[in-house]
Amino acid sequence: MTMPDDTRVIDSASELYNAELVRRVDETDDLAYFWVRLRGEPVPFEPGQYLTIGVFADGRLVQRPYSVASSPRTAADGYEFYVRLVPILRFTTLLWRLPIGHPMRLTGPKGRFMLEPDDDRTHLFVSTGTGIAPFISMIRTGLIDGKPRRTVVAHGVSYARELGYRRELERYERDGLPITYVPTVSRAAAPENAGWRGRTGRVETILDDVCADYGLVPERTVVYICGNPEMILKTELVLRDHGLPEPHVKKELYWPKGKDAALMGGLPAGGGAPAREVELASQG
Ligand SMILES: Cc1cc2nc3c(=O)[nH]c(=O)nc-3n(C[C@H](O)[C@H](O)[C@H](O)COP(=O)(O)OP(=O)(O)OC[C@H]3O[C@@H](n4cnc5c(N)ncnc54)[C@H](O)[C@@H]3O)c2cc1C
């Protein structure tokens, strides 16, 4: 990946800062987990909701919404986010430069991408890349509360190394919890995936098999989809053919349809247009 040189000056003091970056773990060169802790009492949220985090750079606030991956039950330790570095000079290039301890602005929560209370249907969670984050919060919270829901987690990535939360989800399966983990890699022929023995293909292409393999019938299944908008659209079509129409499906789009960073060669630098929270608000 070619990384543009981000020379913006990140302001380390602002009276609007109300949180700080307390921890970071890198999964790959462009995927990392960040923990941001609010100063004072943590704000409550529902698993599946998002918070907005930002910093001032060159005197202006650059901020973006992120699904919380951690459980609200552990908010005192900070909110965990799973983020992909997008190589354009907007927010993520700033986030990657932040040292631990740097102050940040945190607002929210927002969003309606939440579990229905007392829903005993099987939950099929479909995501690409970092879109797995809200599902991790939902699963962890169910486990902490001693009420795990029967869940099938279908997660699609390009390369096996991008399977964030893989070890955690495999551990849940090994421990006999009612969680089935179904990862798939789309670039099966790439040398980086040479050792991969699991499913291959984009996540929406494995769903027919997943429904058949795990007996996911429309009357007993609710589907949550999160991440890349193209995947969400294709997944909805597959599900409709499978007898799972819209009332069975909830979705969260991480960016507007048709705005793929790879296709956006000529993006302006700087704060740019923020991912629009209003337009992208969770769609129930
Ligand atoms: C409700 C909501 C929750 C979100 N949660 C997460 C999250 O948990 N983790 C996360 O990494 N991002 C998440 N995003 C996207 C995030 O807000 C930013 O858009 C993203 O981090 C890129 O920020 P940027 O400022 O660098 O570029 P932006 O100007 O925000 O986006 C530029 C382009 O980058 C691409 N892009 C955006 N997000 C991603 C991504 N996650 N993976 C690959 N390409 C992307 C799109 O093509 C987008 O048009 C979420 C977005 C919304 C609306």
Side-chain angles (χ1 to χ4, degrees):
M1 176 174 27
T2 322
M3 187 52 58
D5 194 16
D6 192 347
T7 56
R8 288 173 289 172
V9 176
I10 302 176
D11 306 345
S12 57
S14 161
E15 60 191 28
L16 290 178
Y17 284 148
N18 60 354
E20 68 182 60
L21 179 65
V22 290
R23 189 176 166 219
R24 165 183 175 163
V25 172
D26 289 82
E27 180 76 45
T28 65
D29 285 351
D30 60 357
L31 283 169
Y33 310 89
F34 296 88
W35 284 260
V36 180
R37 189 160 58 208
L38 202 56
R39 293 176 183 152
E41 282 297 298
V43 287
F45 68 97
E46 286 295 317
Q49 287 193 299
Y50 62 89
L51 295 168
T52 297
I53 52 173
V55 286
F56 282 87
D58 288 349
R60 56 185 290 213
L61 181 61
V62 186
Q63 57 181 346
R64 293 292 184 269
Y66 291 94
S67 304
V68 188
S70 47
S71 166
R73 314 288 179 258
T74 58
D77 302 332
Y79 303 98
E80 177 182 337
F81 303 103
Y82 180 43
V83 184
R84 179 180 293 279
L85 174 61
V86 178
I88 50 180
L89 299 182
R90 291 190 173 171
F91 178 66
T92 53
T93 49
L94 294 171
L95 179 62
W96 250 252
R97 291 170 51 206
L98 284 191
I100 300 302
H102 197 284
M104 298 188 76
R105 170 102 183 133
L106 183 147
T107 53
K110 279 189 181 173
R112 289 181 285 125
F113 190 65
M114 295 177 284
L115 296 175
E116 295 295 332
D118 303 319
D119 187 346
D120 62 2
R121 291 176 289 180
T122 298
H123 290 56
L124 172 60
F125 291 162
V126 183
S127 63
T128 44
T130 52
I132 197 168
F135 301 136
I136 297 299
S137 179
M138 292 172 181
I139 292 171
R140 287 176 175 174
T141 305
L143 291 173
I144 291 172
D145 292 351
K147 294 180 192 159
R149 297 182 183 200
R150 171 88 196 96
T151 305
V152 176
V153 182
H155 187 205
V157 294
S158 299
Y159 304 103
R161 62 167 187 261
E162 298 174 328
L163 287 169
Y165 300 102
R166 177 180 178 180
R167 285 176 294 277
E168 177 172 337
L169 291 164
E170 287 177 343
R171 191 177 69 241
Y172 294 151
E173 270 196 325
R174 272 200 311 276
D175 291 349
L177 294 164
I179 293 157
T180 304
Y181 177 47
V182 193
T184 179
V185 306
S186 59
R187 300 198 183 167
E192 295 93 322
N193 284 328
W196 178 249
R197 300 284 169 265
R199 296 189 195 232
T200 56
R202 291 181 184 275
V203 72
E204 66 272 13
T205 68
I206 68 162
L207 292 178
D208 274 336
D209 284 350
V210 168
C211 288
D213 292 352
Y214 301 106
L216 304 182
V217 291
E219 320 71 73
R220 298 285 314 140
T221 307
V222 59
V223 189
Y224 290 72
I225 324 172
C226 183
N228 169 343
E230 302 293 338
M231 173 280 287
I232 292 179
L233 200 70
K234 289 178 186 159
T235 295
E236 283 185 293
L237 294 178
V238 175
L239 294 173
R240 213 181 49 197
D241 288 349
H242 195 76
L244 281 153
E246 257 190 45
H248 289 264
V249 179
K250 291 185 173 229
K251 53 197 171 178
E252 181 89 298
L253 282 68
Y254 274 3
W255 65 89
K257 197 170 144 322
K259 282 216 168 178
D260 197 313
L263 307 173
M264 303 166 72
L267 278 173
R276 280 152 296 164
E277 291 175 40
V278 175
E279 183 180 330
L280 293 176
S282 317
Q283 300 168 26

PDB file of all heavy atoms in Angstrom, residues 181-198:
ATOM      1  N   TYR A 181     -18.300 -20.211  13.873  1.00  0.00           N
ATOM      2  CA  TYR A 181     -17.463 -19.230  13.164  1.00  0.00           C
ATOM      3  C   TYR A 181     -17.204 -19.742  11.750  1.00  0.00           C
ATOM      4  O   TYR A 181     -16.675 -20.847  11.580  1.00  0.00           O
ATOM      5  CB  TYR A 181     -16.167 -19.080  13.952  1.00  0.00           C
ATOM      6  CG  TYR A 181     -15.120 -18.164  13.345  1.00  0.00           C
ATOM      7  CD1 TYR A 181     -15.457 -16.898  12.868  1.00  0.00           C
ATOM      8  CD2 TYR A 181     -13.789 -18.569  13.273  1.00  0.00           C
ATOM      9  CE1 TYR A 181     -14.497 -16.062  12.345  1.00  0.00           C
ATOM     10  CE2 TYR A 181     -12.814 -17.735  12.764  1.00  0.00           C
ATOM     11  CZ  TYR A 181     -13.176 -16.480  12.293  1.00  0.00           C
ATOM     12  OH  TYR A 181     -12.221 -15.655  11.773  1.00  0.00           O
ATOM     13  N   VAL A 182     -17.594 -18.935  10.747  1.00  0.00           N
ATOM     14  CA  VAL A 182     -17.429 -19.351   9.353  1.00  0.00           C
ATOM     15  C   VAL A 182     -16.658 -18.277   8.576  1.00  0.00           C
ATOM     16  O   VAL A 182     -17.248 -17.424   7.918  1.00  0.00           O
ATOM     17  CB  VAL A 182     -18.801 -19.593   8.673  1.00  0.00           C
ATOM     18  CG1 VAL A 182     -18.602 -20.329   7.346  1.00  0.00           C
ATOM     19  CG2 VAL A 182     -19.741 -20.359   9.573  1.00  0.00           C
ATOM     20  N   PRO A 183     -15.319 -18.306   8.663  1.00  0.00           N
ATOM     21  CA  PRO A 183     -14.534 -17.324   7.913  1.00  0.00           C
ATOM     22  C   PRO A 183     -14.372 -17.750   6.454  1.00  0.00           C
ATOM     23  O   PRO A 183     -14.423 -18.942   6.153  1.00  0.00           O
ATOM     24  CB  PRO A 183     -13.177 -17.366   8.633  1.00  0.00           C
ATOM     25  CG  PRO A 183     -13.086 -18.742   9.204  1.00  0.00           C
ATOM     26  CD  PRO A 183     -14.488 -19.222   9.461  1.00  0.00           C
ATOM     27  N   THR A 184     -14.211 -16.769   5.588  1.00  0.00           N
ATOM     28  CA  THR A 184     -13.953 -17.091   4.185  1.00  0.00           C
ATOM     29  C   THR A 184     -12.981 -16.075   3.612  1.00  0.00           C
ATOM     30  O   THR A 184     -13.027 -14.892   3.970  1.00  0.00           O
ATOM     31  CB  THR A 184     -15.265 -17.119   3.367  1.00  0.00           C
ATOM     32  OG1 THR A 184     -14.957 -17.410   1.997  1.00  0.00           O
ATOM     33  CG2 THR A 184     -16.029 -15.812   3.423  1.00  0.00           C
ATOM     34  N   VAL A 185     -12.075 -16.536   2.739  1.00  0.00           N
ATOM     35  CA  VAL A 185     -11.142 -15.611   2.103  1.00  0.00           C
ATOM     36  C   VAL A 185     -11.454 -15.558   0.611  1.00  0.00           C
ATOM     37  O   VAL A 185     -11.719 -16.578  -0.014  1.00  0.00           O
ATOM     38  CB  VAL A 185      -9.653 -15.978   2.349  1.00  0.00           C
ATOM     39  CG1 VAL A 185      -9.357 -16.118   3.831  1.00  0.00           C
ATOM     40  CG2 VAL A 185      -9.267 -17.222   1.616  1.00  0.00           C
ATOM     41  N   SER A 186     -11.457 -14.333   0.062  1.00  0.00           N
ATOM     42  CA  SER A 186     -11.889 -14.181  -1.328  1.00  0.00           C
ATOM     43  C   SER A 186     -10.737 -14.386  -2.323  1.00  0.00           C
ATOM     44  O   SER A 186     -10.962 -14.851  -3.424  1.00  0.00           O
ATOM     45  CB  SER A 186     -12.534 -12.814  -1.536  1.00  0.00           C
ATOM     46  OG  SER A 186     -11.623 -11.797  -1.222  1.00  0.00           O
ATOM     47  N   ARG A 187      -9.528 -14.039  -1.927  1.00  0.00           N
ATOM     48  CA  ARG A 187      -8.423 -14.164  -2.897  1.00  0.00           C
ATOM     49  C   ARG A 187      -7.700 -15.495  -2.684  1.00  0.00           C
ATOM     50  O   ARG A 187      -6.527 -15.544  -2.273  1.00  0.00           O
ATOM     51  CB  ARG A 187      -7.462 -12.994  -2.750  1.00  0.00           C
ATOM     52  CG  ARG A 187      -8.189 -11.696  -2.999  1.00  0.00           C
ATOM     53  CD  ARG A 187      -7.313 -10.539  -3.295  1.00  0.00           C
ATOM     54  NE  ARG A 187      -8.184  -9.370  -3.427  1.00  0.00           N
ATOM     55  CZ  ARG A 187      -7.795  -8.120  -3.448  1.00  0.00           C
ATOM     56  NH1 ARG A 187      -6.523  -7.837  -3.355  1.00  0.00           N
ATOM     57  NH2 ARG A 187      -8.654  -7.139  -3.571  1.00  0.00           N
ATOM     58  N   ALA A 188      -8.434 -16.545  -2.974  1.00  0.00           N
ATOM     59  CA  ALA A 188      -7.964 -17.889  -2.634  1.00  0.00           C
ATOM     60  C   ALA A 188      -6.639 -18.224  -3.324  1.00  0.00           C
ATOM     61  O   ALA A 188      -5.808 -18.942  -2.766  1.00  0.00           O
ATOM     62  CB  ALA A 188      -9.024 -18.905  -3.019  1.00  0.00           C
ATOM     63  N   ALA A 189      -6.435 -17.699  -4.532  1.00  0.00           N
ATOM     64  CA  ALA A 189      -5.243 -18.074  -5.308  1.00  0.00           C
ATOM     65  C   ALA A 189      -4.009 -17.243  -4.928  1.00  0.00           C
ATOM     66  O   ALA A 189      -2.899 -17.548  -5.371  1.00  0.00           O
ATOM     67  CB  ALA A 189      -5.538 -17.903  -6.795  1.00  0.00           C
ATOM     68  N   ALA A 190      -4.179 -16.242  -4.103  1.00  0.00           N
ATOM     69  CA  ALA A 190      -3.037 -15.382  -3.758  1.00  0.00           C
ATOM     70  C   ALA A 190      -2.020 -16.155  -2.924  1.00  0.00           C
ATOM     71  O   ALA A 190      -2.401 -16.954  -2.065  1.00  0.00           O
ATOM     72  CB  ALA A 190      -3.526 -14.171  -2.979  1.00  0.00           C
ATOM     73  N   PRO A 191      -0.713 -15.935  -3.154  1.00  0.00           N
ATOM     74  CA  PRO A 191       0.307 -16.655  -2.392  1.00  0.00           C
ATOM     75  C   PRO A 191       0.146 -16.473  -0.880  1.00  0.00           C
ATOM     76  O   PRO A 191       0.404 -17.401  -0.107  1.00  0.00           O
ATOM     77  CB  PRO A 191       1.623 -16.027  -2.866  1.00  0.00           C
ATOM     78  CG  PRO A 191       1.303 -15.207  -4.057  1.00  0.00           C
ATOM     79  CD  PRO A 191      -0.168 -15.010  -4.146  1.00  0.00           C
ATOM     80  N   GLU A 192      -0.332 -15.303  -0.469  1.00  0.00           N
ATOM     81  CA  GLU A 192      -0.511 -15.028   0.968  1.00  0.00           C
ATOM     82  C   GLU A 192      -1.510 -15.999   1.612  1.00  0.00           C
ATOM     83  O   GLU A 192      -1.506 -16.197   2.811  1.00  0.00           O
ATOM     84  CB  GLU A 192      -1.039 -13.605   1.191  1.00  0.00           C
ATOM     85  CG  GLU A 192      -0.092 -12.501   0.786  1.00  0.00           C
ATOM     86  CD  GLU A 192      -0.346 -12.033  -0.636  1.00  0.00           C
ATOM     87  OE1 GLU A 192      -0.655 -12.882  -1.501  1.00  0.00           O
ATOM     88  OE2 GLU A 192      -0.224 -10.825  -0.884  1.00  0.00           O
ATOM     89  N   ASN A 193      -2.404 -16.574   0.787  1.00  0.00           N
ATOM     90  CA  ASN A 193      -3.420 -17.481   1.332  1.00  0.00           C
ATOM     91  C   ASN A 193      -3.041 -18.947   1.142  1.00  0.00           C
ATOM     92  O   ASN A 193      -3.893 -19.830   1.303  1.00  0.00           O
ATOM     93  CB  ASN A 193      -4.783 -17.209   0.677  1.00  0.00           C
ATOM     94  CG  ASN A 193      -5.434 -15.948   1.230  1.00  0.00           C
ATOM     95  OD1 ASN A 193      -5.252 -15.609   2.394  1.00  0.00           O
ATOM     96  ND2 ASN A 193      -6.175 -15.245   0.392  1.00  0.00           N
ATOM     97  N   ALA A 194      -1.768 -19.191   0.826  1.00  0.00           N
ATOM     98  CA  ALA A 194      -1.340 -20.552   0.466  1.00  0.00           C
ATOM     99  C   ALA A 194      -1.739 -21.591   1.511  1.00  0.00           C
ATOM    100  O   ALA A 194      -2.138 -22.702   1.170  1.00  0.00           O
ATOM    101  CB  ALA A 194       0.165 -20.572   0.245  1.00  0.00           C
ATOM    102  N   GLY A 195      -1.635 -21.256   2.783  1.00  0.00           N
ATOM    103  CA  GLY A 195      -1.921 -22.252   3.820  1.00  0.00           C
ATOM    104  C   GLY A 195      -3.396 -22.347   4.209  1.00  0.00           C
ATOM    105  O   GLY A 195      -3.762 -23.113   5.093  1.00  0.00           O
ATOM    106  N   TRP A 196      -4.245 -21.595   3.551  1.00  0.00           N
ATOM    107  CA  TRP A 196      -5.646 -21.510   3.959  1.00  0.00           C
ATOM    108  C   TRP A 196      -6.422 -22.766   3.544  1.00  0.00           C
ATOM    109  O   TRP A 196      -6.406 -23.158   2.379  1.00  0.00           O
ATOM    110  CB  TRP A 196      -6.304 -20.263   3.345  1.00  0.00           C
ATOM    111  CG  TRP A 196      -7.753 -20.131   3.671  1.00  0.00           C
ATOM    112  CD1 TRP A 196      -8.802 -20.270   2.812  1.00  0.00           C
ATOM    113  CD2 TRP A 196      -8.328 -19.827   4.947  1.00  0.00           C
ATOM    114  NE1 TRP A 196      -9.990 -20.075   3.470  1.00  0.00           N
ATOM    115  CE2 TRP A 196      -9.724 -19.802   4.789  1.00  0.00           C
ATOM    116  CE3 TRP A 196      -7.792 -19.565   6.216  1.00  0.00           C
ATOM    117  CZ2 TRP A 196     -10.590 -19.532   5.847  1.00  0.00           C
ATOM    118  CZ3 TRP A 196      -8.652 -19.297   7.269  1.00  0.00           C
ATOM    119  CH2 TRP A 196     -10.032 -19.288   7.075  1.00  0.00           C
ATOM    120  N   ARG A 197      -7.093 -23.405   4.489  1.00  0.00           N
ATOM    121  CA  ARG A 197      -7.848 -24.630   4.196  1.00  0.00           C
ATOM    122  C   ARG A 197      -9.351 -24.445   4.398  1.00  0.00           C
ATOM    123  O   ARG A 197     -10.114 -25.394   4.297  1.00  0.00           O
ATOM    124  CB  ARG A 197      -7.372 -25.784   5.108  1.00  0.00           C
ATOM    125  CG  ARG A 197      -5.910 -26.145   4.969  1.00  0.00           C
ATOM    126  CD  ARG A 197      -5.651 -26.946   3.688  1.00  0.00           C
ATOM    127  NE  ARG A 197      -4.215 -27.072   3.437  1.00  0.00           N
ATOM    128  CZ  ARG A 197      -3.514 -26.278   2.647  1.00  0.00           C
ATOM    129  NH1 ARG A 197      -4.106 -25.302   1.987  1.00  0.00           N
ATOM    130  NH2 ARG A 197      -2.217 -26.440   2.471  1.00  0.00           N
ATOM    131  N   GLY A 198      -9.758 -23.230   4.718  1.00  0.00           N
ATOM    132  CA  GLY A 198     -11.177 -22.983   5.007  1.00  0.00           C
ATOM    133  C   GLY A 198     -11.961 -22.625   3.746  1.00  0.00           C
ATOM    134  O   GLY A 198     -11.533 -22.885   2.622  1.00  0.00           O
TER     135      GLY A 198
END
